[in-house]
Amino acid sequence: MDLSIAIAREAGEKAPIVMRGDYFDSIRACAEIGYPAVELHIRDPREFDIAAGKKCCRDNNIGISTIGTGTGYGIDGLGLGSMDSAVRDGAVQRISDHVDLASEFDAKVIIGLMRGLLTDNSSKKQYELDLKKSLERCLEYAEAKNTPIVMEAINRYECDTYNSIAECSELIKDLGSDYLKIHIDTYHMNIEEPDIRESILEGGSMIGHCHLADSNRWYPGAGHYDFSETVDALRQIGYKGALAMECCYFPDQNTAAKEAYKTMKKVLEA
């Protein structure tokens, strides 16, 4: 398991993005702290300079673990489960664009809020039908690009679908693609999972990515979440993916990034 950290060019005050500003400045700053990877959150991946990005990563001995896609829903209103076929088409195309970018960096693509909400459709049944059809299209493209997609289990207060590891597991089983995995998040698990260790063990090999934030969504070490238990469970299932800091940037981004790294290095080395 390697550590990673969320970066974005810009993000809302309460958004769980640690490093904000120029992508390449953030990559260099994260590399100086010691992070072996970053998680790139980007609205339109076609705007990212791939050649410059590869050079920056190479020069700083750092990689890109994952591509965050949430602003496609938050800003542009694109949802894979929308009742509007044009919106669904736009969401599939945007995820495909993210897959193109991720494939250049051997990264994974996150589907969080880009799945949309139940309220974006006429009924739960129709939402699930439309979502699965959209995901099948995304997965067909992802398979051709050899790029995994991870579906995030998000707590009920932020998303009204697929809140738990078990619910995401059922969706993955239904779709039957090796290119779709579960994306867990300690902040969301702390709300949704009755037994975090057991839920991770039950998710097993279907778990493909992990976000880290403490109980208060500050950096790991600023709250009371038991990260050792989660890391031990991930080791038990043979998880080899990234542990990405996706937390608030309080009290400031540099402090959050450094303290998160310090806390999780101790956990991993224990």
Side-chain angles (χ1 to χ4, degrees):
M1 287 179 275
D2 281 332
L3 299 180
S4 182
I5 183 167
I7 69 173
R9 187 164 56 196
E10 54 190 24
E13 175 70 19
K14 296 181 180 180
I17 304 295
V18 187
M19 302 296 283
R20 295 123 183 275
D22 180 81
Y23 289 122
F24 303 143
D25 287 344
S26 291
I27 288 171
R28 285 187 284 269
C30 293
E32 288 178 5
I33 293 170
Y35 285 97
V38 297
E39 179 174 282
L40 181 68
H41 288 250
I42 186 167
R43 178 181 177 186
D44 187 345
R46 296 172 300 179
E47 297 176 355
F48 189 78
D49 188 331
I50 292 173
K54 286 184 174 181
K55 184 178 187 304
C56 185
C57 288
R58 186 170 58 250
D59 290 348
N60 291 277
N61 194 30
I62 193 170
I64 295 177
S65 63
T66 20
I67 308 291
T69 66
T71 50
Y73 181 80
I75 295 177
D76 299 319
L78 298 174
L80 297 169
S82 171
M83 65 186 299
D84 186 328
S85 61
V87 172
R88 293 197 303 275
D89 288 344
V92 170
Q93 183 59 57
R94 182 67 60 85
I95 292 297
S96 298
D97 293 339
H98 283 291
V99 167
D100 285 336
L101 177 58
S103 68
E104 295 284 347
F105 292 91
D106 194 25
K108 300 173 183 177
V109 173
I110 296 169
I111 292 180
L113 288 176
M114 275 285 283
R115 60 180 172 263
L117 303 177
L118 293 179
T119 51
D120 297 330
N121 211 309
S122 58
S123 68
K124 180 179 180 180
K125 182 178 180 180
Q126 189 61 46
Y127 167 85
E128 291 177 344
L129 179 63
D130 288 334
L131 174 64
K132 288 177 182 178
K133 287 181 178 178
S134 295
L135 283 172
E136 285 171 350
R137 293 168 62 192
C138 293
L139 289 167
E140 182 179 4
Y141 193 77
E143 289 173 16
K145 289 283 187 173
N146 194 30
T147 298
I149 290 174
V150 292
M151 170 74 81
E152 186 171 18
I154 302 176
N155 78 76
R156 72 193 73 182
Y157 304 110
E158 297 179 47
C159 188
D160 56 11
T161 67
Y162 302 103
N163 310 120
S164 68
I165 291 174
E167 290 169 337
C168 289
S169 297
E170 289 304 311
L171 176 65
I172 289 170
K173 290 173 185 176
D174 286 346
L175 290 169
S177 172
D178 291 336
Y179 282 81
L180 182 62
K181 299 291 184 181
I182 305 167
H183 169 12
I184 64 173
D185 183 305
T186 58
Y187 179 77
H188 300 310
M189 289 193 294
N190 195 46
I191 295 172
E192 293 295 338
E193 305 298 339
D195 187 318
I196 291 172
R197 173 185 287 276
E198 288 304 313
S199 293
I200 290 173
L201 297 180
E202 289 172 9
S205 62
M206 285 188 287
I207 293 177
H209 187 50
C210 180
H211 272 166
L212 302 181
D214 218 317
S215 54
N216 51 9
R217 217 169 199 177
W218 280 46
Y219 58 83
H224 57 74
Y225 187 89
D226 188 348
F227 291 98
S228 294
E229 178 190 55
T230 292
V231 168
D232 287 344
L234 288 170
R235 283 175 172 153
Q236 193 168 338
I237 64 171
Y239 176 75
K240 303 296 184 183
L243 301 173
M245 313 298 173
E246 198 212 37
C247 51
C248 297
Y249 71 127
F250 309 138
D252 60 79
Q253 62 184 40
N254 290 322
T255 300
K258 290 176 180 177
E259 291 300 317
Y261 181 81
K262 186 188 304 182
T263 296
M264 292 311 303
K265 282 293 285 185
K266 289 180 180 178
V267 171
L268 290 173
E269 293 170 358

